[in-house]
Amino acid sequence: MPAADPASPAAPATPPTAREAAKARRRVDLLAAAARLFAARGFDAVRLEDIGAAVGISGPAIYRHFAGKAAVLTAILDTASQDLLDGGLAAEAQHAPGAETLRALIGFQADFALAQRDVIRVQDRDMSALPDGARTAITRTQRAYIDVWARQLQVVHPHEDRATAVFRAQAVLGLLNSTPRSVRRTAADRAARRATLVAMAWAAATAPGPLPGGD
């Protein structure tokens, strides 16, 4: 039999079965419910039964999707961190370095912050509840995302070193992630505030720092 041509297109992936699709939807629903509950009550105060009840299943049925409550928390923060890194790398690949990519990153993060308020609250309060290995891996992903920002900030501020770029990136991300706490959950309110949030972040990201040798 002749070897497969490596240049030929790969066979299309087999579409998920109805059961697989339903299981994937249930997993997404469980993570969203858990994020809401963790954000409102804190990780320690929420039981698996509470999460199951929020989506209409029993607590033990959650074990079909997750090994336990810590695995649910890990999935929430790991998914969010990887989605941010993937989005940041995509922005970097699709836009010119510097100001253009930075604008795309700010818009991307603003949309995330306005849509994922619960995840941000969980990240801020319950990161320490993660198992050690999961916390290390998620922290690594988050640092890689900050590095994306820092690379673009160094293009915008060529006189600043990497440590300053990382500091500036963390400050801008902190602004974007903290402001939505005061925004109501209506779509109209989010839309009205997004432009202001983006403008504030852009001003912070591009504000001139001290020149080398200055006070």
Side-chain angles (χ1 to χ4, degrees), residues 74-150:
T74 297
I76 291 169
L77 297 182
D78 180 63
T79 299
S81 299
Q82 190 61 54
D83 286 349
L84 286 172
L85 177 56
D86 291 345
L89 291 171
E92 198 172 40
Q94 294 166 9
H95 299 277
E100 184 177 322
T101 298
L102 186 57
R103 285 189 183 279
L105 288 170
I106 289 172
F108 168 66
Q109 183 67 36
D111 289 336
F112 174 86
L114 290 166
Q116 300 293 337
R117 294 162 34 120
D118 292 335
V119 173
I120 290 172
R121 286 182 181 273
V122 173
Q123 157 75 30
D124 288 349
R125 186 174 55 200
D126 294 320
M127 185 82 170
S128 61
L130 288 168
D132 289 344
R135 184 166 60 252
T136 297
I138 290 170
T139 298
R140 187 182 305 118
T141 302
Q142 292 173 347
R143 287 175 177 166
Y145 180 54
I146 291 170
D147 284 344
V148 174
W149 283 72

